């Protein structure tokens, strides 16, 4: 169930800031958290609220942001030409929404990656129940120094930034999360926010004072846990966020029956799913949209990205798997490289120093050692000898290799594509196959061995 009024929820995500405190040429919101750009995290939380429209406010970093993120919900972009502060950014974010007649605008920060949909929902409900024009989501910080303080007094409430705070105000630990709910009708208030002299920026936080002065209902709601509001402004903050995220993610998997050798030494994107009785060794990276089945084992130093590992599969040490599927009970590695668009069939084996690229291996295929299989289809039961290479590239174009069921490929074979080997055929070791091989044939293409008795003794 969504919050009241979620039929007309509009989201504005601020992501145009320069992020100077990161000391990096990469825009702050693109810094990765468990391999995923920070900005994608709040977008996943917003997706759960099913907003009508979502606007991402970008700045000079706009192009880079568009190219780097994979938004989980439809987003529109608004450009804030110059970074004149958060209020100015909100205004830029409202522009593409045009003249809204009713609804709530939820403003969030792109640098608060751990925020949860649950907390946002509670906040929106409180906002709607109170009938506020503007609401601010606050939390209690152990160390409030990098947040705006919520200063309450005489029925009035203000947000005071660290820079502008008196020593007394600096002791306040209730702080601004950067999340606001704004009813559509008081939005014109935004225009009235004055240029903040000290920082030379328009502070979005002045919205509260402006709304109050205009006699609108303003409220501050304290919801959620401090951890989820961690604002990432520096690399130190990013590391803290990563630590919190890792702990939460591992705890969730342990709860569901996943085993870890050392939970402090795994890197798992929070969207990854893992089945019960799967064992994960240290220094394993499970990134992007990856799904690992039940009863699998992932040995040390494996990096698996955007892939599906089906039940009981084993990924051995130092293996890289990208955008591919590993079938049930299959074994991959050690030291295998499975490049995008590969599919390894049920019970198949891909051994050490084998590279696959756009390779489809049927059930029970064995490619145990030192091979390159690219743009290839191998039907069930094929045995690939050590050192087999598909020569898929002629210097200009890629060509396919198609191998029928139960084919036996001798060691050190080169398959010069395009080429087809019919089912049940045999290829002698050391062959260079340049023409199609019919089913059940034997193909050998090497010069017959010459043996000269006593030759070596004479030479000495
Ligand atoms: C801001 C709040 C602070 C709050 C904290 C919570 C203001 C003035 N301060 O401080 O009260 O406690 O967040 O994390 O709002 N941005 C733009 N355009 C700009 C400036 C910023 O889009 O011109 C974006 C940034 O990319 C960022 C967000 O707005 O995502 C907040 O900006 P940031 O500079 O991080 O503000 P804080 O100092 O963290
Ligand atoms: Mg910030």
């Amino acid at each position: 169930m969504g919050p009241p009024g979620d039929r007309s929820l509009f989201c504005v995500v601020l992501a145009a800031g320069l992020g100077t405190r990161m000391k990096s040429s990469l825009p702050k919101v693109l810094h990765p958290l468990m391999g995923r750009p920070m900005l994608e995290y709040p977008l996943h939380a917003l997706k759960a609220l099913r907003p009508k429209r979502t606007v991402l406010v970008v700045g000079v970093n706009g192009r880079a942001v568009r190219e780097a993120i994979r938004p989980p919900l439809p987003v529109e972009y608004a450009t804030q030409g110059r970074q004149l502060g958060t209020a100015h950014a909100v205004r830029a974010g409202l522009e593409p929404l045009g003249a809204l007649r009713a609804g709530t605008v939820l403003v969030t920060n792109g640098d608060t990656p751990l925020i949860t949909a649950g907390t946002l929902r509670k906040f929106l409900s409180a906002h709607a129940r109170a009938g506020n024009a503007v609401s601010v989501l606050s939390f209690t910080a152990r160390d409030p120094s990098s947040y705006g303080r919520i200063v309450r007094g005489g029925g009035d409430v203000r947000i005071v930034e660290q820079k502008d705070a008196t020593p007394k105000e600096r002791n306040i630990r209730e702080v601004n999360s950067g999340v606001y709910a704004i009813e559509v009708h008081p939005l014109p208030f935004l225009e009235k926010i004055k240029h903040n002299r000290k920082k030379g920026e328009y502070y979005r936080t002045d919205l509260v004072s402006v709304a109050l002065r205009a006699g609108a209902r303003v409220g501050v709601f304290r919801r959620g846990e401090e951890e989820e509001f961690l604002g990432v402004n520096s690399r130190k903050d990013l590391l803290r966020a990563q630590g919190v995220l890792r702990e939460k993610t591992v705890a969730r998997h342990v709860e569901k029956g996943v085993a870890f050798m050392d939970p402090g030494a795994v890197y798992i994107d929070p969207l990854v799913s893992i089945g019960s009785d799967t064992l994960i060794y240290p220094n394993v990276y499970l990134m992007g949209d990856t799904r690992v089945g039940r009863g699998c084992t992932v040995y040390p130093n494996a990096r698996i990205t955007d892939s599906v590992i089906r039940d009981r599969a084993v990924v051995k040490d130092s293996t890289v798997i990208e955008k591919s599927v590993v079938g049930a009970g299959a074994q991959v590695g050690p030291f295998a490289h499975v490049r995008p668009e590969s599919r390894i069939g049920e019970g198949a084996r891909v051994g050490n120093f084998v590279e696959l690229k756009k390779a489809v291996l049927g059930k029970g295929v064995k490619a145990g050692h030192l091979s390159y299989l690219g743009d290839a289809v191998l039907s069930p039961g094929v045995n690939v000898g050590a050192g087999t290479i598909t020569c898929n590239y002629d210097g200009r174009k890629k060509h396919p290799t198609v191998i029928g069921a139960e084919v036996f490929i001798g060691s050190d074979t080169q398959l010069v594509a395009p080429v087809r080997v019919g089912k049940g055929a045999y290829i002698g070791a050391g062959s260079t196959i340049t023409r199609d091989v019919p089913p059940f044939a034997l193909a050998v293409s090497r010069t017959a061995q010459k043996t000269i008795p006593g030759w070596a003794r004479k030479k000495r």
Side-chain angles (χ1 to χ4, degrees):
M1 201 196 77
D6 70 348
R7 283 164 297 121
S8 47
L9 178 68
F10 303 92
C11 293
V12 171
V13 184
L14 306 190
L18 299 171
T20 43
R21 289 166 279 182
M22 294 298 281
K23 303 202 168 72
S24 168
S25 57
L26 185 70
K28 175 166 85 174
V29 293
L30 294 185
H31 276 262
L33 199 55
M34 288 297 171
R36 192 184 282 274
M38 191 197 309
L39 180 56
E40 284 184 22
Y41 287 84
L43 296 181
H44 277 278
L46 295 182
K47 183 190 174 190
L49 304 176
R50 282 185 282 129
K52 230 177 183 176
R53 293 168 71 185
T54 301
V55 179
L56 267 179
V57 182
V58 292
V60 285
N61 59 11
R63 223 188 112 121
V65 169
R66 273 170 217 243
E67 280 170 7
I69 67 160
R70 292 191 285 185
L73 78 176
V75 297
E76 301 158 57
Y77 288 89
T79 303
Q80 185 194 16
R82 286 196 301 148
Q83 276 62 68
L84 297 176
T86 46
H88 183 253
V90 173
R91 234 151 61 188
L94 294 172
E95 234 155 71
L97 295 176
L100 297 174
R101 266 183 280 127
T104 306
V105 177
L106 180 69
V107 178
T108 54
N109 283 348
D111 70 350
T112 311
L114 305 181
I115 199 140
T116 64
T119 295
L120 291 175
R121 239 184 229 128
K122 282 182 205 152
F123 170 63
L124 284 170
S125 300
H127 166 77
R129 264 200 312 273
N132 285 345
V134 177
S135 298
V136 180
L137 176 55
S138 75
F139 66 100
T140 308
R142 264 163 296 182
D143 170 12
S145 61
S146 53
Y147 300 103
R149 310 301 199 284
I150 304 291
V151 180
R152 299 172 185 266
D156 192 14
V157 59
R158 287 177 302 132
I159 299 171
V160 182
E161 296 301 312
Q162 168 88 4
K163 278 197 176 105
D164 312 319
T166 64
K168 205 177 147 207
E169 286 168 341
R170 286 188 181 181
N171 288 330
I172 296 172
R173 284 171 56 220
E174 186 186 2
V175 297
N176 172 24
S177 68
V179 176
Y180 307 83
I182 308 169
E183 281 313 294
V184 163
H185 62 269
L187 282 177
F189 292 155
L190 230 39
E191 311 283 331
K192 296 189 189 142
I193 294 173
K194 293 208 194 69
H195 202 73
N196 184 297
R197 263 175 255 118
K198 260 194 201 139
K199 241 186 152 183
E201 290 183 352
Y202 297 93
Y203 278 8
R204 170 185 43 178
T205 48
D206 292 345
L207 172 71
V208 173
S209 330
V210 174
L212 274 175
R213 251 180 275 131
R217 284 175 81 98
V218 174
V220 179
F221 299 104
R222 216 188 291 217
R223 295 286 184 278
E225 298 299 316
E226 170 171 13
E227 284 184 337
E228 61 180 296
F229 298 113
L230 204 153
V232 175
N233 297 315
S234 65
R235 288 184 186 269
K236 207 172 139 198
D237 296 334
L238 188 67
L239 286 175
R240 271 177 57 207
Q242 184 134 310
V244 171
L245 192 64
R246 184 218 302 268
E247 251 173 55
K248 275 174 128 182
T249 305
V250 167
R252 208 178 66 232
H253 290 302
V254 168
E255 189 69 33
K256 287 186 174 167
V258 179
F260 293 93
M261 284 286 265
D262 179 356
V266 292
Y267 306 86
I268 303 175
D269 184 296
L271 297 179
V272 165
S273 70
I274 311 175
S276 61
D277 290 320
T278 283
L279 170 61
I280 313 275
Y281 278 75
N283 208 25
V284 164
Y285 296 74
L286 302 177
M287 305 274 96
D289 300 325
T290 289
R291 281 181 285 143
V292 180
R294 295 163 181 252
C296 297
T297 306
V298 184
Y299 283 99
N301 306 320
R303 179 161 60 83
I304 304 172
T305 307
D306 298 327
S307 294
V308 178
I309 312 295
R310 299 213 199 279
D311 297 350
R312 299 178 313 284
V314 177
V315 177
K316 295 184 182 172
D317 315 50
S318 300
T319 290
V320 177
I321 302 174
E322 303 158 303
K323 290 193 169 73
S324 291
V325 179
V326 176
Q331 295 194 14
V332 187
F335 301 103
H337 189 183
V338 181
R339 292 170 51 201
E341 293 178 54
S342 295
R343 300 177 71 89
I344 298 171
E346 199 183 317
R349 291 187 181 210
V350 174
N352 34 213
F353 308 109
V354 173
E355 176 181 346
L356 307 183
K357 191 223 74 181
K358 279 193 190 171
V360 178
L361 275 54
K363 193 172 168 177
V365 167
K366 287 187 191 139
H369 340 262
L370 301 158
S371 287
Y372 170 63
L373 303 170
D375 302 294
V377 177
L378 286 74
S379 299
V382 169
N383 191 304
V384 179
T388 296
I389 308 279
T390 53
C391 309
N392 60 330
Y393 188 49
D394 62 11
R396 278 187 306 157
K397 276 177 74 181
K398 301 282 166 68
H399 301 282
T401 300
V402 180
I403 300 176
E406 307 291 331
V407 163
F408 180 92
I409 303 171
S411 294
D412 195 23
T413 291
Q414 299 100 58
L415 297 150
V416 182
V419 71
R420 305 176 77 91
V421 180
K423 66 175 176 189
Y426 262 66
I427 294 175
S431 294
T432 301
I433 301 300
T434 54
R435 276 173 289 148
D436 290 357
V437 179
F440 301 105
L442 167 69
V444 199
S445 76
R446 57 178 189 241
T447 42
Q449 183 173 329
K450 197 155 99 183
T451 307
I452 306 172
W455 184 93
R457 199 177 291 124
K458 266 181 253 163
K459 187 171 189 266
R460 282 203 194 109

